[in-house]
């Protein structure tokens, strides 16, 4: 297993090497700046420059104040004069505070606004450009579309952060540094030059360190993308993860990617900490040469002490400004990297072709003649595998034509080409004689409807999902929708939902079953009613009767209109209907069914008749074969895109088309005994003992029978490459006799339209089926929309989770980080004290130079210690922050996967929201410890030390200074509350826009097919506009309160100056003591003030941290899945005793009603019944995905609640109806979650399982074979190929019970025959099989058939017995009397 994973990592690394490297530049921050953005940007720049001048002006005023105190200290001033002069400058500081508040409010608000504009610009540009890309671009995404979407959202957020207040703060600090240096040069240029002599060297060092940071940012983004993809795959396939005990495996995979990303981030953290520590050392060490020279020029009389202090203070302000930029560097680096990446994606989309170039031709009518001439095509993700090879088709207007063939034969490709999702490599396609390339794409897609097997619904109401069929969907009336609902027999389903047509179907339509989604898609197609309709396995999820009813309704509706039906179900083809047969992309046969049945070989030859002769009425050909010819250009009627248009043709406008004759290509369907797909002899031999150990799966129980000992018996009846299946029996009444359909509808639709396994307590009356309830009085037990919003946790509560989360490896580092923070915090008061001693040398009459040198060297010592403490503080806290977040991520992943299945049905737990929380939210959360906690701790220690020291030195001045603290605290808290409130609203608005982005591009094929681009684009623009307006209000409120908070600091400074003059004038304290208090309080206040700029980021991080902590604190191993501890050595008899069950998320009535059923071991059993009768629910209960509401489910007389579910699931293998493919290699998909050293994970066992599933030959034909990457970002698979890999995954485990839930719905006849052979062989070897199926041939191969109706067992027995029973339920289900 480890070797397989290493091969996968090697493939992914090779793929990354091929990717284009991106060199981000600082202008990448402005990649999405447009002309309307220039005014806010200009105002932000002007206000930033203006606010940057505030600090130098304050330095000038401080110099003047110090001059006053110096003159007072040497006797030039008296007390009154000191008070008068200082009061004048204190008023100046007050005025400066007012101006500073206005300027800071403006620049802060405008930068927040600019960040919102950049985010909106990026969102809108990406959405518009991606909407224009062809399907090839989506197919070629290395990591898949889902992972790309998640990373784009993260990068948009990083760009927004990088272009908002951090950029403004960096610019303001740059202006402060430059203007302070300018003031210093103006005041004492020689002193300034000597003081900053080390700055050029420092700039070179900082630039070199910054350059080393960028590669690690890119590498971290790549690893986070891998982690995001792992999480996304696990959440989407949660049923498979649980059934195959893959929880630990998925957590392990995710943890590996997270740890790799952490290593890359620590490189960035170390570089950033080195920058901060280096600048700190340079900032303080410059006083060594500076003060020595400063004292010299004061002694010589060249400068006044105040001038020297002004120069020193300005130099200090300049370097402090540079120091304050450094914590923002990482944010800015990530922002410019995100901007460069987003710009590169847009550039790539612009350089490559966009959506296939649209023609200009828009014919007035569309009759529906389609001719495909010699077309060849290969999918971009499978360039070595041709999907179509010189294929030719003709679909005449007004007729129904079938396309059948094996899985992967190219059937669905035909629909993709007709919709112009792709361009053919060669050949040409014509509609009504017009080349497809010449037709306008909008016209084309408004005249063709494609309904695919995986029917996609949008997160809207049922009504809107159906109304989307029309371009003017806003004008669609309920009466029009009702007609379409009747055609799809959807009325009973709508009656079941509390809000009727107003029911929101959820993301992807998860509130509905597969069959219900298919009915909605058919209703949508009916309302659309285009001249051409393509149905691609559009009824595969429906039961026999429902499928027959819907198909008959479709035939009636589509009479006289071009219809192409792609299917594996040959019973859907009437005798008079034309069919093309594809094999490996080649048309091997074509003709009417009655003609093809007379051939020597092929899928339609010698159809088997049912063992019981049901009354039938065969359809007679309505049209002669000569009519099925292509018509020439002249057309007499039709409609261009009208929903009521009918294709028609004139009988005179026909010409001969030779390809319409029945054709047989010899050799294609002849038996090839040497074919690996048919030769099963070698499959079971490589299998070994099923005992398994390892980290990712439960120990296999002893006593598992070795069922794989000898090859299958080669029955002569099973040797044909095309297994024969009986045609669907026609109903006794003609299609126009709707009374029978209504009777069948009333009898079966209630059960047929429910969610799988969902029952109903009442039957819809005929009157009810004719009405569309928009609202009902029934209430849902859980309204996801009405859930209370998550309350943002305070930062203190969040940080209290750090210590318990960290391991003992990181806890000493955390303590070391805060110890270094305490040393760093003490450095400022110590520096203030030494600085005051330096200032005091100006008052000394003798030994000035020697004292200045002594205290300058003391400053150097303080600077060295402070720089080391600063480096280790930042690095250790960043490392602990990364470890904290990574542990929470992994814990969240573990707990998410452990949640009961119903937890995932809630809207707040959607896949996109969970993935975003683990990705972007965790990245922002790390800043709380890595950046902000250290700063806040330093400020607290610094303030405490400064206050205590100041109280000792001059308690009066200190107390007066502290008198302003309550006012400053109140303003700061108010600012924090307002900022937090609007930060949360802004995040929610951004998340809403992101969900639309995900829904659109996750379902891009359906969006294109329904021409919903304009609607979703408008919807997205409205969402981004709303997010922008919320962000705009945030910028106004946050900027205002930030300005007020900043002004409060200036007012406190003015108060300290004024009262300091009064204290000095009173002679209660010496001037040196007062200057010492000035230094300590002002330095500490300046440091505390720097926290204000981080408050919006702190609030944003708290909001995201709250979401992640919710996941990390989910209950673990406390659900019903962990209640039992008994490990079964074998399954024994499975008994349902008076079982009742209702889905918690859809409480519309019981699904199972007092179900009593015994499933003996080693028996093959078919569970049959109408769609929604409870079959799949029975399988889900056996697998422990849901607990019974009441009653007892036992295994060998032991209640399932007492059993250890993981060990139980290790005895069972499941093949779901919708196959789940993971984004990894084929080998790892088949060996999913198997123990590392298990022989079941060997390559021989994997290949043998693939052989049985009929997929080995296809895999072997791929260039990389079993090492081929599939899933998101890998080689694309057809539905049948994916289904066969899922079957191989189940077979490889050698289970005691295999559960097949409609496992052949996406398979062709030959592949289905292989599954029937497998069931027969499993039965011979004593392996139980539980087959949930609608297919009569699958029923026939089982020993026992259980007929389920409305959640109860209606009848049970052998297949022959039940279909022979007059009035029996199974006989009725299969269309008998």
């Amino acid at each position: 297993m480890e070797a397989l994973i290493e091969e996968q990592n090697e493939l992914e690394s090779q793929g990354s090497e091929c990717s284009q490297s991106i060199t981000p530049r600082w202008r990448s921050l402005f990649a999405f700046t447009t002309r309307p953005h220039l005014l806010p940007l200009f105002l932000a720049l002007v206000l930033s420059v203006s606010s940057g001048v505030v600090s130098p002006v304050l330095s000038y005023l401080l110099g003047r104040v110090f001059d006053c105190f110096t003159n007072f200290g040497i006797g030039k001033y008296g007390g009154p004069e000191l008070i008068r002069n200082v009061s004048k400058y204190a008023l100046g500081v007050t005025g400066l505070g007012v101006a500073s508040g206005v300027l800071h409010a403006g620049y802060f608000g405008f930068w927040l606004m600019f960040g919102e504009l950049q985010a909106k610009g990026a969102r809108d540009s990406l959405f518009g450009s991606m909407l224009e890309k062809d399907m090839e671009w989506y197919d070629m995404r290395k990591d898949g579309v889902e992972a790309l979407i998640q990373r784009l959202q993260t990068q948009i957020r990083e760009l927004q952060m990088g272009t908002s207040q951090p950029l403004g703060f960096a610019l303001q600090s740059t202006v402060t540094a430059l203007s302070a240096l300018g003031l210093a040069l103006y005041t004492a240029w020689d002193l300034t030059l000597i003081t900053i002599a080390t700055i050029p060297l420092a700039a070179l060092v900082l630039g070199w360190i910054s350059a080393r940071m960028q590669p690690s940012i890119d590498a971290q983004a790549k690893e986070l993308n891998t982690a995001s993809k792992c999480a996304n795959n696990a959440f989407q396939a949660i049923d498979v993860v649980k059934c195959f005990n893959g929880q630990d495996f998925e957590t392990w995979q995710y943890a590996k990617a997270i740890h790799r990303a952490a290593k890359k981030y620590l490189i960035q953290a170390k570089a950033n900490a080195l920058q901060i520590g280096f600048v700190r050392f340079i900032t303080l060490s410059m006083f060594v040469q500076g003060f020595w020279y400063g004292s010299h020029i004061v002694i010589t009389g060249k400068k006044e002490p105040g001038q020297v202090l002004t120069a020193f203070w300005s130099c200090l302000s300049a370097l402090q400004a540079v120091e304050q930029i450094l914590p923002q560097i990482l944010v800015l680096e990530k922002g410019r990297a995100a901007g460069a990446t987003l710009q590169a994606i847009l550039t790539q989309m612009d350089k490559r072709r966009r959506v296939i170039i649209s023609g200009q031709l828009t014919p007035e009518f569309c009759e529906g003649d389609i001719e495909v001439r010699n077309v060849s095509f290969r999918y971009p993700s499978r360039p070595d595998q041709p999907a179509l090879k010189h294929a030719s088709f003709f679909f005449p207007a007004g007729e129904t034509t079938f396309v059948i063939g094996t899985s992967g034969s190219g059937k669905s490709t035909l629909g993709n080409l007709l919709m112009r999702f792709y361009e053919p490599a060669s050949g040409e396609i014509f509609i009504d004689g017009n080349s497809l390339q010449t037709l306008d794409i909008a016209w084309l897609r408004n005249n063709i409807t494609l309904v695919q097997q995986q029917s996609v619904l949008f997160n809207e109401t049922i009504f809107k999902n159906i109304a989307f069929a029309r371009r003017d969907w806003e004008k669609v009336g309920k009466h029009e929708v009702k007609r379409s609902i009747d055609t799809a027999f959807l009325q009973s389903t709508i009656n079941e939902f509390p809000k009727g047509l107003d029911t929101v179907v959820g993301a992807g339509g998860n509130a509905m079953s597969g069959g219900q989604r298919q009915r909605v898609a058919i209703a949508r197609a009916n309302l659309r009613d285009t001249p051409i309709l393509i149905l691609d396995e559009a009824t595969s999820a429906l039961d026999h009767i429902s499928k027959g009813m819907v198909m008959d309704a479709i035939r009636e509706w589509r009479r006289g209109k071009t219809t192409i039906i792609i299917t594996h179900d040959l019973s859907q083809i009437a005798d008079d209907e034309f069919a093309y047969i594809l094999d490996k992309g080649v048309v091997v046969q074509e003709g009417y069914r009655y003609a093809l049945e007379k051939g020597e070989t092929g899928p339609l030859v010698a159809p088997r008749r049912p063992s019981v002769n049901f009354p039938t009425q065969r359809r007679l050909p309505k049209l002669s074969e000569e009519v099925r010819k292509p018509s020439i250009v002249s057309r007499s009627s039709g409609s261009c895109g009208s929903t009521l248009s009918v294709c028609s043709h004139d009988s005179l406008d026909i010409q001969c088309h030779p390809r319409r004759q029945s054709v047989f290509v010899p050799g294609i369907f002849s038996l090839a005994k040497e074919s690996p797909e048919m030769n099963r002899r070698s499959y079971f031999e490589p299998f070994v003992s099923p005992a398994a150990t390892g980290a990712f799966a439960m120990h296999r129980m002893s006593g598992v029978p070795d069922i794989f000992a000898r090859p299958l018996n080669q029955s002569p009846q099973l040797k044909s490459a095309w297994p024969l299946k009986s045609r669907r029996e026609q109903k006794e009444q003609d299609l126009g006799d709707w009374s029978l359909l209504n009777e069948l509808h009333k009898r079966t639709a209630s059960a047929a339209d429910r969610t799988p396994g969902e029952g109903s307590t009442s039957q819809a009356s005929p009157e009810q089926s004719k009405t569309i309830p928009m609202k009902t009085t029934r209430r849902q037990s859980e309204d996801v929309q009405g859930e209370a919003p998550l309350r943002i946790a305070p930062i203190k509560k969040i940080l209290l989770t750090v210590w318990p989360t960290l391991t003992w490896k990181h806890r000493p580092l955390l303590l070391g980080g805060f110890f270094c923070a305490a040393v760093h915090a003490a450095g400022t008061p110590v520096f203030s004290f030494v600085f005051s001693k330096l200032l005091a040398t100006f008052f000394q009459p003798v030994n000035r130079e020697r004292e200045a040198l002594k205290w300058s060297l003391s400053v150097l010592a303080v600077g060295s210690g402070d720089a080391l403490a600063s480096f280790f503080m930042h690095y250790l806290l960043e490392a602990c922050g990364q470890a904290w977040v990574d542990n929470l991520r992994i814990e969240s992943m573990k707990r998410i996967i452990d949640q009961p299945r119903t937890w995932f049905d809630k809207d707040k737990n959607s896949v996109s929201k969970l993935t975003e929380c683990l990705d972007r939210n965790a990245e922002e959360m790390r800043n709380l410890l890595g950046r902000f906690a250290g700063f806040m701790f330093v400020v607290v220690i610094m303030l405490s030390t400064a206050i205590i020291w100041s109280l000792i030195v001059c308690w009066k001045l200190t107390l007066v200074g502290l008198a302003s603290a309550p006012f400053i605290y109140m303003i700061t808290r108010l600012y924090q509350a307002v900022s937090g409130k609007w930060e949360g609203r802004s995040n929610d608005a951004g998340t809403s826009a992101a969900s639309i982005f995900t829904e659109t591009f996750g379902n891009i094929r359906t969006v294109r097919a329904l021409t919903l681009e304009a609607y979703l684009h408008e919807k997205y623009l409205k969402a981004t506009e709303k997010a922008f307006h919320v962000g705009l209000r945030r910028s106004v409120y946050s900027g205002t309160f930030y300005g007020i908070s900043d002004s409060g600091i200036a007012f406190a400074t003015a108060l300290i100056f004024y009262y300091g003059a009064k204290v000095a004038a009173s002679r209660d304290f010496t001037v040196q003591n007062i200057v010492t208090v000035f230094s300590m309080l002002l330095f500490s206040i300046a440091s505390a003030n720097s926290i204000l700029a981080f408050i919006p980021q702190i609030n944003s991080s708290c909001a995201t941290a709250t979401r992640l902590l919710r996941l990390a604190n989910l209950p673990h191993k406390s659900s019903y899945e962990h209640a039992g501890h008994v490990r079964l050595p074998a399954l024994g008899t499975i008994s349902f005793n008076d079982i009742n069950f209702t889905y918690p998320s859809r409480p519309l009535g019981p699904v199972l009603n007092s179900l009593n059923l015994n499933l003996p071991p080693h028996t093959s059993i078919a569970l049959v019944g109408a769609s929604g009768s409870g079959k799949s629910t029975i399988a889900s209960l056996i697998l422990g995905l849901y607990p019974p509401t009441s009653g007892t489910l036992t295994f060998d007389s032991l209640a399932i609640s007492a059993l250890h579910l993981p060990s139980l699931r290790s005895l069972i293998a499941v093949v779901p109806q919708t196959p789940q493919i993971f984004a990894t290699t084929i080998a790892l998909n088949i060996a999913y979650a198997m123990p590392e050293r298990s022989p079941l994970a060997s390559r021989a066992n994997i290949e043998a399982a693939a052989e049985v599933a009929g997929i080995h030959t296809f895999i072997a034909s791929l260039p990389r074979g079993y090492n081929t990457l599939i899933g998101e970002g890998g080689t694309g698979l057809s539905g049948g190929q994916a289904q066969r890999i899922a079957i191989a995954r189940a077979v490889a485990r050698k289970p005691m019970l295999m559960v097949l839930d409609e496992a052949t719905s996406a398979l062709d006849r030959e592949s289905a025959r292989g599954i029937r052979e497998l069931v027969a062989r499993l039965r011979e070897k004593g392996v139980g099989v539980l087959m949930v199926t609608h297919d009569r041939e699958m029923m026939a191969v089982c020993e026992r058939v259980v007929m389920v109706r409305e959640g109860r067992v209606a009848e049970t027995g052998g297949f022959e017995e039940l279909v022979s029973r007059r009035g029996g339920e199974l006989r009725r289900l299969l269309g008998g009397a």
Side-chain angles (χ1 to χ4, degrees), residues 268-279:
Q268 306 167 40
K270 186 180 293 183
N272 191 238
L274 188 60
Q275 287 178 323
I276 294 172
F278 183 72
V279 169

Side-chain angles (χ1 to χ4, degrees), residues 429-486:
I429 302 174
F430 298 89
I431 292 182
D432 293 345
N434 299 308
S435 173
L436 208 64
Q437 283 74 18
T438 64
L439 295 172
D440 178 74
I441 286 184
W443 180 93
L444 177 73
R445 292 176 181 165
N446 281 311
N447 282 277
I448 301 178
T449 297
L450 173 64
V451 181
Q452 296 174 304
Q453 180 177 2
Q454 301 300 327
S455 303
V456 174
L457 302 184
F458 298 95
N459 192 16
E460 304 280 1
T461 63
I462 297 175
F463 175 85
K464 190 174 285 188
N465 267 285
I466 297 174
F468 279 155
R470 298 257 290 268
R471 285 172 291 177
D472 57 343
W473 62 269
E474 302 95 335
K475 301 178 181 178
V476 173
K478 293 184 177 61
H479 63 284
E480 297 175 276
V481 172
K482 181 184 181 304
R483 287 197 298 268
S484 298
I485 287 172
D486 290 341

Side-chain angles (χ1 to χ4, degrees), residues 398-418:
E399 295 190 27
T400 296
T401 308
F402 285 79
V403 179
I404 60 176
T406 58
S407 300
S409 60
K411 304 183 302 297
S412 297
T413 301
L414 181 61
N416 290 332
L417 292 177
L418 288 175

Side-chain angles (χ1 to χ4, degrees), residues 264-341:
K264 303 301 180 184
Y265 181 77
L266 290 181
I267 296 174
Q268 306 167 40
K270 186 180 293 183
N272 191 238
L274 188 60
Q275 287 178 323
I276 294 172
F278 183 72
V279 169
R280 188 70 178 171
F281 174 74
I282 293 296
T283 301
L284 299 182
S285 64
M286 69 180 187
F287 284 94
V288 175
Q289 70 269 22
F291 254 100
W292 171 81
Y293 185 74
S295 61
H296 171 72
I297 60 178
V298 169
I299 292 171
T300 58
K302 294 181 180 179
K303 296 291 181 183
E304 294 293 327
Q307 292 176 306
V308 173
L309 179 63
T310 299
F312 272 136
W313 195 271
S314 298
C315 290
L316 184 63
S317 296
L319 288 180
Q320 280 185 331
V322 173
E323 188 179 9
Q324 288 172 352
I325 293 174
L326 295 179
Q328 310 290 350
I329 286 292
L330 199 53
V331 179
L332 296 176
E333 288 282 1
K334 284 182 172 289
R336 74 165 178 164
T341 302

Side-chain angles (χ1 to χ4, degrees), residues 457 459 504-513 517 755 901 904-907 910 1145-1146:
L457 302 184
N459 192 16
V504 177
V505 300
N510 59 14
M512 308 185 83
S513 71
R517 289 196 295 271
T755 303
R901 181 61 185 83
F904 294 89
D905 295 333
K906 299 178 182 179
D907 182 64
S910 65
S1145 60
R1146 301 186 293 271

Side-chain angles (χ1 to χ4, degrees), residues 819-1018:
F819 173 77
C820 292
V823 173
H824 175 56
T828 297
V830 172
F831 171 76
S832 301
F833 173 77
V834 175
F835 186 64
S836 67
K837 292 296 184 182
L838 275 172
L839 295 179
T841 60
F842 294 117
F843 311 141
Q844 295 179 4
V846 294
N847 297 327
R848 284 188 180 180
E849 292 189 32
R850 189 182 66 181
E851 289 296 312
L853 181 60
K854 182 180 74 173
W855 291 112
S856 295
L857 292 175
S858 299
V859 167
L860 180 62
V862 172
S864 300
D866 195 23
L868 283 174
S870 180
F871 168 77
F872 284 109
M873 177 193 80
H874 284 90
Y875 178 69
L876 293 178
L877 290 182
E878 286 280 14
C880 291
Q882 185 67 51
W884 172 48
V885 167
D886 286 349
N887 290 340
L888 286 176
R889 275 172 158 158
I890 296 168
E891 186 67 20
S892 297
M893 182 72 177
K894 180 174 69 176
R895 290 175 182 260
I896 288 170
I897 295 179
D898 183 65
Q899 295 310 295
R901 181 61 185 83
T902 53
W903 185 84
F904 294 89
D905 295 333
K906 299 178 182 179
D907 182 64
K908 68 177 181 180
N909 301 325
S910 65
V911 172
S912 61
K913 290 179 180 177
L914 293 175
T915 308
E916 179 187 24
C917 189
L918 293 178
D919 187 8
R920 177 176 73 83
N921 291 0
E923 285 296 289
E924 289 192 31
M925 179 182 180
R926 179 188 55 231
N927 294 331
L928 288 176
L929 180 60
R931 293 175 60 199
F932 307 134
F935 278 123
M936 290 186 290
F937 182 76
V938 166
V939 168
V940 170
I941 297 295
M942 188 185 300
L943 286 175
S944 301
T945 305
I947 290 170
I948 294 172
W949 201 329
S950 297
L951 285 170
I952 295 172
V953 175
C954 182
W955 63 271
K956 281 188 176 181
L957 180 57
T958 304
L959 290 178
V960 171
L962 292 177
S964 60
F967 169 75
I968 295 175
Y969 177 78
M970 180 186 69
I971 294 296
T972 303
R973 291 290 294 176
L974 186 59
Y975 165 49
Q976 184 180 11
V978 170
S979 176
K981 172 184 175 182
W982 285 100
E983 193 71 38
R985 292 185 179 182
S986 183
N987 284 338
D988 292 341
T991 300
S992 298
S995 65
I996 300 173
F997 194 100
T998 302
E999 184 177 40
T1000 300
F1001 296 109
N1003 305 312
I1004 187 64
R1005 288 179 187 271
T1006 303
V1007 171
R1008 293 262 168 87
L1010 295 174
T1011 62
L1012 287 175
E1013 293 96 333
Y1015 165 75
L1016 288 170
H1017 199 179
E1018 181 182 359

